[in-house]
Structures are given as C-alpha cells and as structure tokens.
Amino acid sequence: AKFLFVKDEEVASRRAFVAHISNIIYSSAHEMVMVVLPHINQVVGGDVLTFSHLRSLANSLNLVGGVLIGAFSDVYGPKLALIISHASAAASFLLAGTATSVTGLYWSAVPLFAMHGFQATLHVVTLESEAEDRAKAQGRVGALYGIGFFGGSLILLGALHVLASRDIALLAGGMETLAVCFIAYAYPDGN
C-alpha cells in the first residue's frame, strides 16, 4: 500500500495491485504491437498511406471511447472498465495478428474504441487513495505504465528472434487475454 500510495486496507491494496499489474501488461502488449504493426500492414499489402489511414481511424475511435469510458466506469465500476479495456486490446491485437488484408487490419482498429486500461487504472487509484496521496498514487500509475513499455520492448527484442510480426501481435493478444482472466479472478468486487 505504501509503495502504491493507496489506503492501508487489504481491499484497496489488492485492487491497486491488480490494476497496476494489468496496466503493466497493457503497456507491454501495446508496445509490442505498435512496433510490428507497420510490418503487418506491409505484409497484407498496405503502404505508408494505408497505415496513416489506419492510425487515424484507430486514434479517432480511441478518442471517442476515451470520452465515454470514464462515465462507464463511474456507473459500472472500474473492475468492469478494466476487463472491457483489456478485452478490447486483446481483440484488437488478435485481429491484427490474423489479418490477411488491409480491410482485415482496419477491422482490428474497431475494438480500440474501448481500449482504455490506463484510464481505468487511474480510476482505481483515485478511488483507493486518500486525497493527500492521490497525486503520488496517480504518478505511480504513469511510472509503472512506462515500465510496461520498457518491458514490452525487451520482450519484443527477444521474441523477434523466434517469432514473426503476426506472432508478436498474437502473443500480445494472449497477454491481454491473461490480463482479463487475472482481473476477473483477483480484483475484489465492490467498487
């Protein structure tokens, strides 16, 4: 609890721990996919312009979803927001890894509408921290998110020696699927 700057209560500590671990997985998997996505685009017949359109679509969907996920989390709770965010990432990464055409790759962007694990993690630590520690708790979210990106780069460096770009996307999708299971099992019910 002290390291994460949340309330010194077992439930608060456990919720924050689960949210942080899933956030590290989230940023690791995202980093892995973002590095191989341009190559997957090329393999399915896309070029720089196609990739630019793909990223514009993905970012637009993510922007709209970002506006809505906070309200969703307020109504249905951060546990469900975390699960949906990670399930969306898993779906996107698995679709990217199995895409056989530019159209298929574009379909992989659709789930990004609900891919907001970082925001859901911030909601958890906001609810589980005291007012005087809130900024530190939220700062910890960002720091651990960055560690996840670094970890994703390291995983990618090792995996690229034995896996193709599509396999990396599938691996990231598998990591996110495990994150969904972890959250569903380990995050205490309640808020």
Side-chain angles (χ1 to χ4, degrees):
K2 296 286 186 216
F3 174 74
L4 299 177
F5 298 105
V6 295
K7 298 171 191 164
D8 196 16
E9 301 167 0
E10 183 180 343
V11 171
S13 296
R14 189 165 168 194
R15 286 179 179 146
F17 177 77
V18 170
H20 280 296
I21 294 299
S22 67
N23 197 34
I24 291 169
I25 293 168
Y26 178 77
S27 57
S28 294
H30 186 267
E31 175 68 8
M32 293 164 60
V33 171
M34 288 302 102
V35 171
V36 299
L37 198 56
H39 185 257
I40 295 172
N41 175 62
Q42 185 179 24
V43 168
V44 299
D47 57 18
V48 173
L49 184 59
T50 339
F51 189 71
S52 178
H53 286 298
L54 172 67
R55 294 306 306 146
S56 294
L57 172 65
N59 292 334
S60 298
L61 289 167
N62 199 254
L63 171 67
V64 173
V67 172
L68 301 174
I69 194 71
F72 177 89
S73 189
D74 282 339
V75 173
Y76 298 102
K79 179 179 183 177
L80 188 55
L82 282 167
I83 289 171
I84 288 173
S85 295
H86 287 277
S88 298
S92 177
F93 301 161
L94 293 171
L95 286 169
T98 57
T100 57
S101 66
V102 171
T103 303
L105 197 56
Y106 274 56
W107 278 108
S108 75
V110 174
L112 298 178
F113 175 82
M115 193 176 100
H116 296 283
F118 182 84
Q119 191 173 347
T121 301
L122 283 172
H123 190 183
V124 171
V125 301
T126 298
L127 292 173
E128 301 302 340
S129 61
E130 300 290 352
E132 64 270 9
D133 290 329
R134 192 147 302 131
K136 291 181 269 187
Q138 291 174 341
R140 192 66 80 209
V141 173
L144 293 172
Y145 192 63
I147 288 171
F149 278 115
F150 181 68
S153 296
L154 294 178
I155 294 168
L156 184 64
L157 286 172
L160 282 172
H161 292 288
V162 294
L163 298 175
S165 295
R166 289 174 186 267
D167 299 327
I168 299 290
L170 295 174
L171 174 62
M175 290 168 58
E176 284 292 352
T177 301
L178 290 175
V180 169
C181 296
F182 175 63
I183 296 161
Y185 174 76
Y187 191 96
D189 288 328
N191 82 20

